[in-house]
C-alpha cells in the first residue's frame, strides 16, 4: 500500500472463532516475550438460563463472539496524546509506533488506550506495540496476522478501501465507541454482536486469569 | 475463483469416489505462484518446509525460517492463490508455535536414567551407549523370562502423520517385530466406542466429506466441534465455515457447551446432558413414529430391525427399535419427549420440534464428533445417532452424512515402513494398566482380548514414545501412578520424547527424540482430514537436532545393534538410511505414476497439493444406489439397527456390574453418568473438551501458547452462585478418584448441572491435589462394555472454592 494512505484492519466476526493463531503468529514473528501481545483476542458472551413450565432450566439468548484486535492506528490516538516524551508517534501509513530511544516506559499510553494496544516489555523497559508489520507493508505484503488466519477473518490495507468493501462499523461491544479515538478498523459483526456501551454481556481476556511459567514437571 | 455451480455439480454424481489419490492421474500442481512472504530487509539462512506432526487430526505444513543456525520464526503454507478450493493449508497457532517446542526449557537434550524411586522424577544424564546397553539387556532378560508377549508399546499420538518418526508405528514396530514381537493393541482413546459401535451398525464408521454441508438444507451436529478440534488448514474448520457460507444451510448444534463451532454460523444451540444422546434419539423416534414422519421405505429397504418386519429370525419378540421406542419392549416404557426431557434436560417441545424439522428437511447432514461416544454407554450413543440418519433416510445422497463423524474424500501417503509382528494377541488400548496388573487373567469375553482367548503374560516391559498416556491422558491418574510406581509389576519403562512430561516421570530410561524440524521425513495429512484437497509435505531438515537428541530411526538402528549385532541391525535397516528409506517408500507407491513427482522433485518442492476433488465423498453412496451389489460389511449386509453380532455378544460376554450390551441402540444408564445414584454426593457432570492451545497434552509445555490459552473450568452461573464461585476463583474439583485444582470461569455457555474444562492439562501432584488441571485425576479405569474403551466423559464431581 502507499505510505500516504491510512492503514487499517478489518475483522470478520462471523468467521473469527477465537483460535488465536493471529496472536501467536504475531508473537512468534516479533519475538514478543510472555506478557506482551500486540494482538489480543477477547471473548464476549452473554445470555441466561430460565426455568420453563416444568421447572427445567433452558438457555435464553446465550451467545458468544470474539474480537481479535491489534492497534487500530487511530485517527485520534489516545496513546500519542498521553505520551509525555513524544515517543508514541504517528508515521508512514498513519501507523502509530513507539520510538524506543524516547520511551521512558511510564505506561501512560497503555493506560490511555481503550483497546489495550501498547504493551510494556519488562525485558527492554519500553513500551511496544503493533506497527502493522511495516517492513512487510513496504514490500507489498500483508501483516503476519493476516497471512496467518486459518479462517481468513482478518484483512489489512488502506482503511478507505476496507470500508468501501466492508462498511464502517467499528463500535462493537466490548470495544469502545468509534468516536473516542476514531480507530482505523471496520468490523463485520457476528449475528449476536451488540453495540459498544450497550452490550449486556461479559468480556473475557483469558490471559489475565492465570500466570504462566515454565515450571512444569 | 474456483467455482462449480450446483447444477454442474449434480452432473458429476458418482464421478469420483473416496479413497486414495495414489493412482492420481492428475496434473502436477504448480507451486510457482508462491506468494512472497519474506521481506528483503530480513535475511534468513534458509526457509525449509516441515510438518506439524501432533495428532489433532490435521498435519499442517509449516515453513521454518532459520537465522544463525537457530529457528527465527515459523510461517505456514503460502503457495497458490487463496480462494477457497485452491486455498492455502494454513497451520493454526499450535503449528506456528513449533519454535517454542524446539527451544522449550524442558526439552530433552540427553539420555537420562532414573536415580530416585520410580515416579519421584529424579534423573541423571547418561550416555547413549549406556542407555541403549541398559535397555537391550533388560529387553533380553524380559524376553527370556516372560516371552515377547510381555513387551508392550503404548498407544500414543505425540508424533503421528510422519512416516519415519512415529509413536507406535514405523521404526518401533519394525524393530520390536524383528526382536520377536510384542503385545498388540487395537482401537484408540479417541474413537474406541464410535468405531466399535458403528462397526456393528454399518460395518465401518466412515462418513461423508464435510463439504456436503454446502449441499445440505439442514445440519445437525452432535458433540462435533470442527473449529476447535480441527481448526487448522489441514482440518475441517475452515471447510465447515465456507460450506455453511456457500450453501446457507440451517445449523443446529447439540452439545452441553456452546462451542466455538456455534460462533458466527449457528442457528440453534440445544444443550444436552452428557451421555444422554440415546434418550434424545429415542424420543425423536417416538415423535416420528407417532406422526408418521419416518422414512419407512428407506428403513425397510436398507435396514435391519427398525420395525418387527425386518428383525432377524432369531431376534427376541418385540425386539425391534420401534418396539423399544413405543414401550412394547422389555422395559415397557414409552420413550416420549417428556420421558427424555427429564434425562436429557432438553424441553419436550424442543425435542418435538427438532424431530419434525429433521424428518421433513432433506438433505440433512447429521454428524457426531467423538465427544458423545467417549462415555460409558458411548457405543449406544454412537449407534443411536446413526439411527437418526437411517430413520430420516439421510444416507447415501449428496448433502447427507450417515450420523458418523465426517470423513475425507482422499489423501496421499507413501508406503509405510514394513513390519510383521509374529505375535497377534491384542488388547483394547485402554486396558494396558489392567494388563500390567492381571494380564494373564484377561480373556476375549471378559476384556475384549482379540486373536487369542486369553493373554499369556502380564506386561513387564513398557515402551512409551511420543506419548503422555502413561499418566496424563490415561484414566484415573492417581491409580495409574500407583501401578507404575510398583517395580514388581511392570519391570522396565522406557520413554522417548522431545520434552519432559508427566508421563516420563515414571520412566527408568528417557531417550531424547528429535523434533520434525530436525530431520527429514514425510508428513502426510493425518487420516486425510484435509477433506477434498489432498496434500503431503516433505519435511526438510531445518536445523541440527538439539543436544544429543536423535531421530527415532537412528536410535532404533543403534538399539538393533545392541540387541542382535550386525545381523539384526542389517535386518532392520536393509542397508538404508532414513532418507534412503523415504525414497524407497515413495517409489514403492508413486514411481512412474503419471502426474506424481519423483522423490527428488518432492524433496525439493517440500509440499505437494493435488487438485481438489470435483465431488466430495458421500458416505454409503454405492450401497444406497444398489444394496444388493454393494452390501455393507455387517453380518446381514444391511444397516443393522438391530445388531446380530451384539445380540450374540450380549449372551456370551461376561460384564462388570452396571455394564450392558444390547442389540438395539437404546439409552442405557452409565456408571458415573447422569442418572448414577452417586450424583447425590457428586452432583455435577464434568467432561473435558479439546482445547485450542494444545492437542491433547502436546504444546502445553510451551508457555507462550499456554499464556493465551489458560486452563479454565466452565461453570454455569446457577451452579456457581450456589457455591459462591466467581470468575477467576481457584476451585477444587473432586470425586472418589481424586481432586484437581483449577481457575473458574463462570459462563452461561455451559448448561447447569454440567461443568467442563479443557483436557490435556499436565498432572502435577502437590499435597494430594493435582494442581496441573489434569482432568484424569477425576476419571475411571472402568471401560465401556463393548469396545472396552475409555469412558472419560462419564464423570461426576463436586466443586468448591479453594
Amino acid at each position: 500500500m502507499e505510505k500516504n494512505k491510512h492503514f487499517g484492519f478489518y475483522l470478520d466476526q462471523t468467521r473469527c472463532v477465537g483460535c488465536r493463531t493471529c496472536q501467536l503468529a504475531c508473537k512468534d514473528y516479533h519475538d514478543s516475550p510472555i506478557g506482551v501481545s500486540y494482538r489480543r483476542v477477547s471473548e464476549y458472551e452473554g445470555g441466561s438460563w430460565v426455568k420453563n413450565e416444568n421447572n427445567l432450566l433452558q438457555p435464553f439468548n446465550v451467545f458468544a463472539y470474539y474480537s481479535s484486535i491489534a492497534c487500530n492506528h487511530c485517527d485520534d490516538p489516545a496513546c500519542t496524546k498521553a505520551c509525555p516524551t513524544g515517543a508514541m508517534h504517528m508515521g508512514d501509513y498513519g501507523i502509530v509506533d513507539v520510538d524506543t530511544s524516547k520511551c521512558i516506559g511510564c505506561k501512560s499510553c497503555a493506560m490511555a488506550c481503550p483497546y489495550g494496544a501498547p504493551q510494556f516489555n519488562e525485558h527492554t523497559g519500553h513500551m511496544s506495540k503493533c506497527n502493522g508489520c511495516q517492513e512487510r507493508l513496504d514490500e507489498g505484503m500483508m501483516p503476519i496476522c493476516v497471512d496467518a488466519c486459518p479462517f481468513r477473518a482478518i484483512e489489512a490495507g488502506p482503511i478507505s478501501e476496507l470500508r468501501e468493501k466492508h462498511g464502517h462499523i467499528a463500535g462493537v461491544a466490548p470495544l469502545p465507541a468509534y468516536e473516542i479515538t476514531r480507530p482505523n478498523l471496520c468490523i463485520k459483526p457476528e449475528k449476536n454482536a451488540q453495540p459498544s456501551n450497550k452490550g449486556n454481556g461479559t468480556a473475557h481476556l483469558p490471559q489475565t486469569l492465570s500466570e504462566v511459567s515454565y515450571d512444569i514437571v | 475463483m474456483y467455482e462449480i455451480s450446483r447444477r454442474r455439480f449434480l452432473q458429476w454424481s458418482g464421478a469420483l469416489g473416496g479413497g486414495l489419490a495414489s493412482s492420481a492421474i492428475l496434473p502436477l500442481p504448480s507451486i510457482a505462484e508462491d506468494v512472497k512472504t519474506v521481506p528483503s530487509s530480513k535475511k534468513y539462512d534458509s526457509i525449509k518446509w516441515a510438518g506439524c506432526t501432533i495428532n489433532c487430526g490435521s498435519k499442517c505444513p509449516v515453513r521454518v525460517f532459520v537465522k544463525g543456525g537457530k529457528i527465527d520464526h515459523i510461517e505456514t503454507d503460502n503457495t497458490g492463490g487463496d480462494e477457497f478450493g485452491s486455498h492455502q493449508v494454513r497451520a493454526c497457532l499450535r503449528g506456528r508455535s513449533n519454535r517454542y517446542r524446539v527451544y522449550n526449557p524442558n526439552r530433552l537434550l540427553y539420555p537420562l536414567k532414573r536415580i530416585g524411586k520410580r515416579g519421584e522424577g529424579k534423573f541423571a544424564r547418561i550416555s547413549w551407549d549406556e542407555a541403549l546397553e541398559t535397555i537391550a539387556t533388560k529387553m533380553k532378560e524380559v524376553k527370556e523370562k516372560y516371552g515377547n508377549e510381555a513387551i508392550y508399546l503404548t498407544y500414543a499420538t505425540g508424533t503421528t502423520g510422519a512416516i519415519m518418526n512415529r509413536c507406535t508405528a514405523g521404526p518401533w514396530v519394525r524393530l520390536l517385530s524383528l526382536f520377536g514381537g510384542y503385545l498388540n493393541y487395537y482401537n484408540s482413546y479417541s474413537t474406541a466406542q464410535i468405531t466399535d459401535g458403528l462397526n456393528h451398525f454399518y460395518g465401518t464408521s466412515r462418513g461423508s466429506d464435510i463439504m456436503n454441508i454446502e449441499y445440505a438444507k439442514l445440519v445437525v451436529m452432535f458433540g462435533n466441534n470442527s473449529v476447535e478440534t480441527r481448526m487448522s488448514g489441514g482440518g475441517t474448520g475452515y471447510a465447515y465455515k465456507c460450506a455453511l457460507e456457500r450453501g446457507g444451510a440451517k445449523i443446529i448444534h447439540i452439545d452441553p457447551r456452546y462451542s466455538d463451532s456455534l460462533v458466527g454460523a449457528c442457528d440453534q444451540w440445544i444443550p444436552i446432558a452428557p451421555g444422554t444422546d440415546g434418550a434424545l434419539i429415542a424420543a425423536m423416534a417416538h415423535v416420528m413414529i407417532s406422526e408418521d414422519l419416518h422414512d419407512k421405505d428407506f428403513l425397510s429397504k436398507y435396514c435391519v430391525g427398525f420395525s418387527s418386519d425386518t428383525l432377524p429370525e432369531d431376534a427376541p419378540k418385540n425386539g425391534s427399535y420401534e418396539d423399544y421406542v413405543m414401550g412394547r419392549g422389555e422395559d415397557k416404557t414409552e420413550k416420549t419427549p417428556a420421558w427424555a426431557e427429564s434425562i436429557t434436560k432438553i424441553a419436550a417441545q424442543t425435542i418435538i420440534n427438532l424431530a419434525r424439522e429433521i424428518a421433513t428437511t432433506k438433505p440433512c447432514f447429521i454428524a457426531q464428533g467423538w465427544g458423545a461416544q467417549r462415555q460409558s454407554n458411548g457405543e449406544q450413543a454412537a449407534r443411536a445417532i446413526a439411527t437418526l440418519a437411517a430413520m430420516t433416510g439421510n444416507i447415501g445422497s449428496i448433502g447427507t452424512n450417515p450420523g458418523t463423524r465426517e470423513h475425507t474424500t482422499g489423501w496421499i501417503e507413501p508406503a509405510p515402513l514394513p513390519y510383521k509382528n509374529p505375535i497377534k494377541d491384542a488388547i483394547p488400548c485402554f486396558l494396558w494398566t489392567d494388563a500390567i496388573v492381571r494380564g494373564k487373567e484377561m480373556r476375549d469375553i471378559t476384556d475384549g482380548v482379540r486373536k487369542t482367548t486369553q493373554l499369556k503374560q502380564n506386561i513387564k516391559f513398557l515402551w512409551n514414545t511420543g506419548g503422555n498416556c502413561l499418566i496424563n491422558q490415561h484414566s484415573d491418574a492417581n491409580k495409574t501412578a500407583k501401578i507404575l510406581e510398583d517395580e514388581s509389576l511392570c519391570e522396565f519403562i522406557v520413554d522417548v520424547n522431545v520434552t519432559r512430561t508427566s508421563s516420563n516421570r515414571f520412566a527408568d530410561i528417557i531417550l531424547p527424540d528429535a523434533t520434525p524440524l530436525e530431520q527429514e521425513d514425510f508428513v502426510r495429512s493425518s487420516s486425510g482430514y484435509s477433506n477434498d484437497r489432498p496434500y503431503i509435505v516433505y519435511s526438510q531438515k531445518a536445523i541440527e537436532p538439539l543436544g544429543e537428541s536423535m531421530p527415532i530411526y537412528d536410535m532404533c538402528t543403534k538399539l538393533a545393534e545392541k540387541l542382535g549385532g550386525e545381523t539384526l541391525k542389517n535386518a532392520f535397516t536393509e542397508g538404508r538410511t532414513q532418507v534412503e528409506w523415504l525414497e524407497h517408500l515413495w517409489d514403492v507407491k508413486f514411481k512412474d505414476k503419471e502426474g506424481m513427482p519423483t522423490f527428488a522433485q518432492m524433496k525439493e518442492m517440500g509440499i505437494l497439493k493435488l487438485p481438489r476433488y470435483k465431488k466430495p465423498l458421500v458416505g454409503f453412496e454405492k450401497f444406497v444406489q444398489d444394496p444388493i451389489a454393494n452390501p455393507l460389511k455387517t453380518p446381514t449386509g444391511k444397516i443393522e439397527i438391530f445388531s446380530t453380532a451384539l445380540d450374540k455378544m450380549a449372551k456370551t460376554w461376561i460384564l462388570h456390574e452396571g455394564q450392558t450390551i444390547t442389540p438395539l441402540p437404546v439409552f442405557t444408564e452409565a456408571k458415573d453418568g447422569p442418572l448414577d445414584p452417586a450424583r447425590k454426593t457428586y452432583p455435577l457432570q464434568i467432561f473435558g473438551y479439546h482445547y485450542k492451545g494444545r492437542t491433547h497434552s502436546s504444546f502445553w509445555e510451551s508457555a507462550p501458547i499456554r499464556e493465551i490459552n489458560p486452563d479454565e473450568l466452565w461453570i454455569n452461573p446457577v451452579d456457581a452462585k450456589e457455591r459462591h464461585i466467581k470468575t477467576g476463583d481457584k476451585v477444587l474439583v473432586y470425586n472418589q478418584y481424586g481432586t484437581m485444582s483449577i481457575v473458574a470461569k463462570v459462563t452461561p455457555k455451559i448448561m447447569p448441572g454440567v461443568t467442563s474444562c479443557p483436557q490435556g492439562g499436565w498432572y502435577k501432584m502437590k499435597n494430594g491435589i493435582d494442581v496441573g488441571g489434569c482432568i484424569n485425576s477425576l476419571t475411571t479405569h472402568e471401560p465401556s462394555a463393548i469396545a472396552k474403551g475409555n469412558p472419560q466423559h462419564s464423570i461426576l464431581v463436586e466443586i468448591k472454592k479453594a
Side-chain angles (χ1 to χ4, degrees):
Chain A
M1 68 179 281
E2 291 153 38
K3 287 189 175 165
N4 59 359
K5 287 195 173 165
H6 207 119
F7 171 87
F9 283 112
Y10 162 68
L11 170 68
D12 183 346
Q13 275 182 333
T14 69
R15 282 190 167 187
C16 178
V17 296
C19 75
R20 301 187 165 84
T21 303
C22 50
Q23 192 169 350
L24 199 282
C26 170
K27 197 170 194 106
D28 180 44
Y29 184 75
H30 294 287
D31 202 20
S32 307
I34 299 286
V36 174
S37 288
Y38 296 169
R39 185 169 272 281
R40 300 154 309 282
V41 183
S42 70
E43 306 171 15
Y44 194 71
E45 58 189 47
S48 58
W49 285 74
V50 292
K51 280 186 177 159
N52 74 357
E53 62 281 3
N54 295 339
N55 263 342
L56 183 74
L57 282 161
Q58 291 292 280
F60 181 70
N61 290 344
V62 174
F63 71 90
Y65 60 84
Y66 292 92
S67 304
S68 168
I69 297 293
C71 171
N72 301 309
H73 306 286
C74 305
D75 283 347
D76 189 12
C79 59
T80 56
K81 283 195 275 191
C83 177
T85 67
M88 195 65 88
H89 66 285
M90 192 182 283
D92 293 344
Y93 310 102
I95 279 176
V96 178
D97 204 358
V98 189
D99 179 347
T100 48
S101 69
K102 290 183 187 164
C103 175
I104 54 169
C106 71
K107 303 182 191 172
S108 302
C109 53
M111 284 183 265
C113 173
Y115 296 93
Q119 301 270 304
F120 182 67
N121 183 331
E122 61 183 31
H123 301 278
T124 63
H126 300 301
M127 301 308 296
S128 60
K129 63 182 289 302
C130 160
N131 70 347
C133 291
Q134 251 191 79
E135 80 280 0
R136 295 170 65 92
L137 298 181
D138 286 343
E139 299 193 27
M141 287 177 256
M142 281 290 119
I144 198 84
C145 55
V146 173
D147 282 348
C149 179
F151 290 85
R152 283 74 171 174
I154 322 172
E155 287 176 33
I159 190 66
S160 52
E161 290 173 22
L162 292 175
R163 284 180 179 145
E164 203 171 302
K165 232 166 111 186
H166 303 295
H168 289 255
I169 297 172
V172 173
L175 305 177
Y178 171 79
E179 294 72 25
I180 295 174
T181 61
R182 290 193 276 133
N184 286 294
L185 168 73
C186 55
I187 292 176
K188 180 179 178 186
E190 208 263 358
K191 64 181 188 307
N192 297 297
Q194 317 202 358
S196 298
N197 306 323
K198 286 182 186 157
N200 56 10
T202 309
H204 186 56
L205 200 59
Q207 59 255 47
T208 56
L209 264 194
S210 45
E211 287 181 2
V212 187
S213 75
Y214 265 114
D215 168 34
I216 57 168
V217 281
Chain B
M1 185 173 167
Y2 185 93
E3 276 282 7
I4 44 171
S5 71
R6 184 167 300 208
R7 181 187 299 271
R8 215 182 111 208
F9 174 81
L10 291 172
Q11 292 166 356
W12 276 85
S13 197
L16 271 169
L20 213 61
S22 61
S23 58
I25 32 166
L26 301 162
L28 192 59
S30 163
I31 55 164
E33 40 174 336
D34 191 343
V35 181
K36 193 184 170 207
T37 59
V38 189
S40 50
S41 57
K42 293 225 177 191
K43 298 267 182 277
Y44 300 102
D45 303 347
S46 63
I47 304 168
K48 295 283 175 68
W49 285 96
C52 179
T53 59
I54 311 296
N55 179 32
C56 70
S58 303
K59 302 291 166 286
C60 294
V62 293
R63 287 180 308 138
V64 187
F65 288 65
V66 178
K67 208 183 209 173
K70 283 196 79 175
I71 299 168
D72 178 84
H73 72 281
I74 305 277
E75 293 192 23
T76 185
D77 179 23
N78 65 332
T79 58
D82 195 35
E83 292 299 339
F84 184 75
S86 61
H87 54 280
Q88 298 160 5
V89 188
R90 291 188 180 178
C92 73
L93 78 163
R94 302 183 285 231
R96 295 189 81 121
S97 72
N98 266 294
R99 172 170 72 107
Y100 300 117
R101 254 193 131 220
V102 172
Y103 301 117
N104 159 22
N106 287 282
R107 176 78 198 269
L108 286 165
L109 301 173
Y110 314 102
L112 300 173
K113 74 168 176 192
R114 172 167 68 87
I115 50 172
K117 282 191 280 186
R118 199 190 270 165
E120 203 178 2
K122 288 186 184 156
F123 291 90
R125 179 179 170 180
I126 52 170
S127 67
W128 269 105
D129 194 62
E130 186 189 340
L132 295 174
E133 188 67 46
T134 312
I135 293 168
T137 307
K138 192 69 201 178
M139 280 176 79
K140 286 186 229 171
E141 188 188 313
V142 165
K143 180 180 176 159
E144 177 82 10
K145 223 160 118 190
Y146 305 103
N148 281 74
E149 285 88 354
I151 300 173
Y152 186 65
L153 177 63
T154 54
Y155 168 89
T157 62
T159 60
T160 62
I163 298 299
M164 296 301 284
N165 224 59
R166 294 180 74 169
C167 302
T168 51
W172 291 121
V173 294
R174 182 174 168 81
L175 176 62
L176 291 175
S177 297
L178 290 166
F179 182 64
Y182 56 95
L183 178 65
N184 297 282
Y185 68 74
Y186 68 90
N187 73 31
S188 77
Y189 279 52
S190 297
T191 60
Q193 289 94 319
I194 190 172
T195 303
D196 229 23
L198 294 185
N199 280 348
H200 290 299
F201 195 90
Y202 290 125
T204 168
S205 56
R206 292 183 172 187
S208 306
D209 190 308
I210 202 165
M211 289 314 296
N212 278 279
I213 286 179
E214 194 178 335
Y215 307 93
K217 281 206 185 102
L218 179 65
V219 175
V220 184
M221 299 284 201
F222 290 82
N224 199 4
N225 184 9
S226 325
V227 314
E228 276 176 272
T229 53
R230 304 237 164 96
M231 64 194 177
S232 60
T236 47
Y238 183 50
Y240 158 86
K241 279 272 179 193
C242 287
L244 280 174
E245 279 176 15
R246 289 151 68 107
K250 178 178 176 183
I251 177 153
I252 300 171
H253 275 271
I254 299 167
D255 196 313
R257 66 187 271 272
Y258 190 102
S259 78
D260 288 337
S261 290
L262 288 131
V263 173
C266 184
D267 296 282
Q268 194 180 1
W269 174 43
I270 302 179
I272 182 170
T276 67
D277 303 77
L280 169 64
I281 305 297
M284 284 204 268
H286 192 278
V287 176
M288 290 180 202
I289 295 164
S290 307
E291 302 182 10
D292 199 24
L293 298 173
H294 53 311
D295 192 334
K296 290 174 286 298
D297 293 341
F298 187 93
L299 288 166
S300 65
K301 187 171 176 192
Y302 301 104
C303 306
V304 170
F306 182 85
S307 50
S308 52
D309 58 344
T310 56
L311 267 181
E313 269 174 25
D314 52 354
K317 224 179 153 202
N318 294 332
S320 73
Y321 190 68
E322 194 170 28
D323 291 324
Y324 160 73
V325 167
M326 301 315 286
R328 298 188 296 262
E330 239 174 57
D331 65 0
K332 303 283 175 217
T333 307
E334 257 191 271
K335 310 302 175 303
T336 62
W339 167 83
E341 175 178 293
S342 63
I343 297 169
T344 61
K345 308 299 173 196
I346 302 170
Q349 192 57 50
T350 306
I351 297 174
I352 294 167
N353 295 346
L354 185 65
R356 288 175 182 160
E357 186 166 10
I358 296 174
T360 55
T361 316
K362 275 188 185 171
C364 179
F365 187 95
I366 300 168
Q368 59 178 313
W370 295 341
Q373 58 95 38
R374 212 171 281 128
Q375 291 275 349
S376 303
N377 61 4
E379 297 91 343
Q380 304 293 89
R383 291 160 69 221
I385 295 165
T387 303
L388 178 65
M391 264 182 325
T392 55
N394 279 301
I395 298 172
S397 50
I398 187 78
T400 68
N401 185 63
T404 57
R405 183 161 198 170
E406 62 277 357
H407 197 65
T408 189
T409 301
W411 63 92
I412 35 173
E413 59 183 334
L417 196 64
Y419 74 98
K420 204 171 176 193
N421 182 7
I423 293 170
K424 299 294 163 225
D425 305 12
I427 57 170
C429 73
F430 180 59
L431 295 191
W432 64 269
T433 33
D434 286 67
I436 287 177
V437 179
R438 53 173 191 92
K440 283 194 273 193
E441 293 167 19
M442 289 168 70
R443 297 167 61 195
D444 47 357
I445 56 168
T446 56
D447 298 284
V449 167
R450 288 189 184 167
K451 308 277 181 185
T452 182
T453 52
Q454 190 152 4
L455 291 191
K456 294 170 192 69
Q457 267 308 340
N458 296 357
I459 293 172
K460 289 289 178 186
F461 195 114
L462 262 188
W463 276 99
N464 182 50
T465 166
N468 210 350
C469 279
L470 281 195
I471 191 82
N472 218 78
Q473 300 304 101
H474 192 61
S475 279
D476 199 345
N478 296 321
K479 183 179 165 191
T480 303
K482 286 201 177 68
I483 293 171
L484 291 176
E485 276 161 13
D486 188 342
E487 290 170 48
S488 73
L489 293 173
C490 182
E491 293 181 7
F492 209 74
I493 302 172
V494 184
D495 185 281
V496 184
N497 212 317
V498 295
T499 182
R500 284 297 314 279
T501 64
S502 319
S503 285
N504 57 32
R505 265 185 99 83
F506 294 86
D508 296 295
I509 297 272
I510 303 177
L511 302 178
D513 188 9
T515 69
L517 281 44
E518 295 162 323
Q519 61 187 305
E520 297 194 35
D521 209 337
F522 278 107
V523 177
R524 56 184 177 77
S525 49
S526 173
S527 318
Y529 286 104
S530 50
N531 295 296
D532 55 358
R533 177 129 206 241
Y535 64 88
I536 190 163
V537 183
Y538 186 85
S539 268
Q540 303 157 327
K541 183 176 176 179
I543 55 164
E544 287 302 318
L546 258 55
E548 290 181 5
S549 67
M550 70 168 77
I552 284 169
Y553 182 73
D554 294 344
M555 60 177 95
C556 283
T557 305
K558 288 176 194 289
L559 182 60
E561 198 173 358
K562 295 272 186 203
L563 284 169
E566 281 295 307
T567 318
L568 188 63
K569 183 187 164 187
N570 292 338
F572 176 74
T573 64
E574 291 181 13
R576 295 187 185 94
T577 63
Q578 178 156 336
V579 176
E580 285 164 351
W581 265 111
L582 292 171
E583 179 167 14
H584 173 71
L585 298 171
W586 181 263
D587 285 348
V588 166
K589 201 74 166 280
F590 300 125
K591 196 169 188 187
D592 303 326
K593 278 266 170 22
E594 196 185 336
M596 291 299 280
T598 62
F599 175 74
Q601 285 169 329
M602 184 63 227
K603 210 175 148 188
E604 181 70 25
M605 285 158 56
I607 186 167
L608 169 69
K609 296 199 275 189
L610 295 182
R612 194 175 172 202
Y613 281 88
K614 296 290 187 291
K615 177 180 175 294
L617 172 73
V618 175
F620 306 116
E621 189 175 32
K622 282 185 181 160
F623 166 71
V624 168
Q625 281 164 359
D626 188 346
I628 307 297
N630 309 297
L632 297 179
K633 287 185 179 127
T634 55
T636 58
K638 290 190 173 186
I639 297 171
E640 295 199 349
I641 294 172
F642 180 98
S643 164
T644 47
L646 288 182
D647 189 34
K648 202 171 155 195
M649 201 187 275
K651 290 165 189 153
T652 51
W653 277 33
I654 299 165
L655 298 173
H656 298 185
E657 201 188 323
Q659 291 180 332
T660 43
I661 295 177
T662 60
L664 292 174
V666 304
F667 167 71
T668 51
E669 295 181 18
K671 189 170 182 303
D672 298 318
L675 306 183
D676 191 323
R679 218 167 161 178
K680 284 197 184 79
T681 321
Y682 304 115
L684 298 169
Q685 288 186 275
I686 186 173
F687 66 94
Y689 61 90
H690 284 56
Y691 204 24
K692 293 176 281 197
R694 55 183 177 245
T695 299
H696 304 302
S697 78
S698 303
F699 291 114
W700 192 92
E701 70 271 25
S702 300
I705 193 169
R706 190 151 38 94
E707 176 195 14
I708 55 177
N709 296 280
D711 284 286
E712 301 170 336
L713 179 96
W714 287 20
I715 181 165
N716 185 282
V718 175
D719 296 320
K721 199 178 164 192
E722 277 176 21
R723 293 165 179 79
H724 310 290
I725 291 165
K726 54 182 196 308
T727 297
D729 282 347
K730 264 229 158 123
V731 294
L732 294 176
V733 188
Y734 59 96
N735 62 13
Q736 69 270 42
Y737 305 109
T739 304
M740 168 185 94
S741 148
I742 191 168
V743 173
K745 177 189 170 180
V746 180
T747 173
K749 287 161 68 181
I750 185 93
M751 64 190 293
V754 181
T755 174
S756 183
C757 72
Q759 63 101 348
W762 282 19
Y763 179 76
K764 189 176 178 181
M765 287 306 279
K766 221 174 185 174
N767 303 324
I769 294 171
D770 163 37
V771 295
C774 175
I775 196 167
N776 285 314
S777 307
L778 307 165
T779 54
T780 175
H781 269 184
E782 188 72 30
S784 65
I786 301 169
K788 308 299 175 195
N790 45 317
Q792 272 153 315
H793 292 176
S794 297
I795 328 173
L796 298 174
V797 293
E798 177 56 296
I799 296 176
K800 66 178 179 195
K801 226 168 134 167

